Amino acid sequence: MDLHGYFRSSASYRVRIALNLKGLEYQYHPVNLLKGEQRGEAYRALNPQGLVPALINDDGKTLTQSLAILEWLDETHPQVPLLPADPSERARIRALAYNVACDIQPIQNLRVLKYIQTELGASDEQKVEWIRHWINGGFDALEMQLAADFDGPFAAGSAPGLFECCLIPQIYNAQRFGVDIARYPTIEHIADACAAMPAFEDARPENQPDSTL
Amino acid sequence: MDLHGYFRSSASYRVRIALNLKGLEYQYHPVNLLKGEQRGEAYRALNPQGLVPALINDDGKTLTQSLAILEWLDETHPQVPLLPADPSERARIRALAYNVACDIQPIQNLRVLKYIQTELGASDEQKVEWIRHWINGGFDALEMQLAADFDGPFAAGSAPGLFECCLIPQIYNAQRFGVDIARYPTIEHIADACAAMPAFEDARPENQPDSTL
């Protein structure tokens, strides 16, 4: 399989974790978002939406949207499942993942940050305040939901999955902008358990070939 | 089942469509977002994230996040499926749905609009421009992806599903803010096909008991 992504993109990072958790080999093709390569003709031919990541599967089909790729991986490569078997539990884990993927991440996406600065005149300080505001609000709610019935070490119990694929890139982003994760003990507990696993370590932005860190 | 929602909330509207498509009975409980009832103690006890919708299932479990509810409905009530059977096709339909649910809707959510006005000093005009910018950009990409291999009348073929549950509320929202849907012929074609179905008609905001329209 071929993964087109960017070392710092949260959505690319999610897919790298999932591929690693399932032990699937893939070829990594960097798309430089700062240079605008995602809007170039070559990449638009793969993904007209001009967003990373895109996964080209073994049938040559292009899959887009990180969460759709994660669900596809789980349906076609069920070993090391990303979701529990019970429907209510699946719904709980998906809801946690969507809390991150729908309610936190999109609002502090690069293109949104650019817009508030260029069109709404936000200062660098207001930009950082914006990022922290949405992450803190989201993590407050997430912590409450997680803490309510947490056995650990992961949200679904003994193994990480869909939620952790979304959480860890969001924490990476949060820390870049000075959000204090220690305010969220359950989130921090899960993050520590993930950090000890090679699947998460190998997927980190600084361990990608296009990293500038 | 009990659905806690708000007539104008896109996420509530998605779940109403899905319940109607599957022919499932439910009791509707309005949560007035303009009065801040979603942040009240009673509602927070149901959903700590303080967002609508929440679905209470027949086992008394609270399910949150509209997309997690839709996936749960499809897994537990497989009649009138919301997703195709083939994994690549499922991935394509989910990606279309996430285009709306992750890349368009969250950015023009009520709480984000409030923030750009109160914290970044956006004018009413800039607010409307913001909404149109993200919808138009998202619909441009969506139209390209849909048009590429469209047989119709719906994204997956002969029946609507997960994608249409997300698209129709987004179109409702787009039209409120003067976005011209005729610019997107495939999207408009799907919208017309949905409009002819009672499942979509009954789910419309103006047909809910808490509508002020």
Side-chain angles (χ1 to χ4, degrees):
Chain A
M1 287 189 276
D2 292 83
L3 177 64
H4 297 257
Y6 180 60
F7 74 105
R8 220 172 218 162
S9 135
S10 292
S12 305
Y13 190 175
R14 290 174 196 157
V15 176
R16 292 196 301 263
I17 298 170
L19 287 163
N20 292 350
L21 282 171
K22 288 182 176 286
L24 298 169
E25 296 286 323
Y26 66 96
Q27 191 92 31
Y28 182 67
H29 305 272
V31 180
N32 192 320
L33 301 191
L34 292 184
K35 289 189 186 158
E37 287 179 5
Q38 75 280 15
R39 289 186 299 272
E41 218 171 298
Y43 188 70
R44 286 268 196 185
L46 274 176
N47 181 6
Q49 206 189 3
L51 298 174
V52 291
L55 184 77
I56 318 299
N57 73 11
D58 290 336
D59 299 332
K61 282 203 175 139
T62 300
L63 308 178
T64 63
Q65 285 286 349
S66 60
L67 286 171
I69 295 172
L70 265 50
E71 295 271 358
W72 177 85
L73 282 171
D74 219 33
E75 289 176 354
T76 54
H77 300 79
Q79 77 282 16
V80 193
L82 299 177
L83 283 166
D86 174 70
S88 302
E89 265 297 283
R90 293 167 74 84
R92 186 176 71 83
I93 297 299
R94 282 196 180 107
L96 291 168
Y98 298 148
N99 280 1
V100 175
C102 302
D103 292 330
I104 304 177
Q105 201 281 328
I107 310 174
Q108 23 106 31
N109 200 304
L110 190 58
R111 62 206 177 111
V112 176
L113 299 180
K114 272 194 185 158
Y115 192 100
I116 64 169
Q117 294 212 275
T118 56
E119 303 297 323
L120 301 182
S123 63
D124 284 342
E125 206 170 40
Q126 283 177 313
K127 182 184 84 168
V128 172
E129 189 40 52
W130 168 278
I131 294 170
R132 289 183 188 159
H133 174 80
W134 300 113
I135 296 178
N136 281 326
F139 277 11
D140 282 342
L142 208 50
E143 177 66 25
M144 270 183 75
Q145 286 180 281
L146 282 166
D149 53 359
F150 188 69
D151 283 328
F154 303 101
S158 60
L162 192 77
F163 169 61
E164 285 79 8
C165 288
C166 295
L167 177 68
I168 298 305
Q170 187 60 64
I171 289 176
Y172 169 81
N173 211 353
Q175 287 173 329
R176 266 183 78 197
F177 293 98
V179 172
D180 181 14
I181 297 300
R183 280 175 56 182
Y184 310 105
T186 316
I187 290 175
E188 193 178 34
H189 184 95
I190 294 173
D192 289 345
C194 292
M197 298 178 69
F200 286 89
E201 178 63 23
D202 295 346
R204 288 182 65 83
E206 58 268 40
N207 295 334
Q208 306 317 305
D210 55 334
S211 169
T212 55
L213 302 175
Chain B
M1 287 188 276
D2 293 83
L3 177 64
H4 297 258
Y6 179 61
F7 75 105
R8 218 171 218 162
S9 135
S10 293
S12 305
Y13 191 175
R14 290 174 196 158
V15 176
R16 291 195 302 262
I17 298 170
L19 287 163
N20 292 349
L21 282 172
K22 288 182 175 286
L24 298 169
E25 295 285 324
Y26 67 96
Q27 190 92 31
Y28 181 68
H29 305 273
V31 181
N32 191 320
L33 301 191
L34 292 183
K35 289 189 185 160
E37 287 179 5
Q38 75 280 15
R39 289 186 298 273
E41 218 170 299
Y43 188 70
R44 286 269 196 183
L46 274 176
N47 181 5
Q49 205 190 4
L51 298 174
V52 290
L55 184 76
I56 318 300
N57 73 11
D58 290 336
D59 298 332
K61 282 203 175 140
T62 300
L63 307 178
T64 63
Q65 285 285 350
S66 59
L67 287 171
I69 295 172
L70 265 50
E71 295 271 359
W72 178 86
L73 282 171
D74 219 32
E75 288 176 354
T76 55
H77 300 79
Q79 77 281 18
V80 193
L82 300 177
L83 283 166
D86 174 69
S88 302
E89 265 298 283
R90 292 166 74 83
R92 186 176 71 84
I93 296 300
R94 282 197 179 107
L96 291 168
Y98 298 149
N99 280 1
V100 175
C102 302
D103 292 330
I104 304 178
Q105 201 281 328
I107 310 175
Q108 23 105 35
N109 198 305
L110 190 58
R111 62 206 178 111
V112 176
L113 299 179
K114 272 193 185 159
Y115 192 101
I116 64 169
Q117 293 212 276
T118 56
E119 304 297 322
L120 301 182
S123 64
D124 285 342
E125 207 171 41
Q126 283 177 313
K127 182 184 84 169
V128 172
E129 190 40 53
W130 167 278
I131 294 170
R132 289 184 188 158
H133 173 80
W134 300 112
I135 296 178
N136 281 325
F139 277 11
D140 282 341
L142 207 50
E143 177 66 25
M144 270 182 75
Q145 286 180 280
L146 281 166
D149 52 358
F150 188 69
D151 285 327
F154 302 102
S158 60
L162 192 77
F163 169 62
E164 285 79 9
C165 289
C166 295
L167 178 68
I168 298 305
Q170 187 60 64
I171 289 177
Y172 170 80
N173 212 352
Q175 287 174 328
R176 266 184 77 197
F177 293 99
V179 172
D180 181 13
I181 296 300
R183 280 175 57 181
Y184 310 105
T186 316
I187 289 176
E188 193 178 34
H189 185 95
I190 295 173
D192 289 345
C194 292
M197 298 178 68
F200 286 88
E201 177 63 22
D202 295 347
R204 289 183 64 84
E206 58 268 40
N207 295 334
Q208 306 317 305
D210 56 334
S211 170
T212 55
L213 301 175

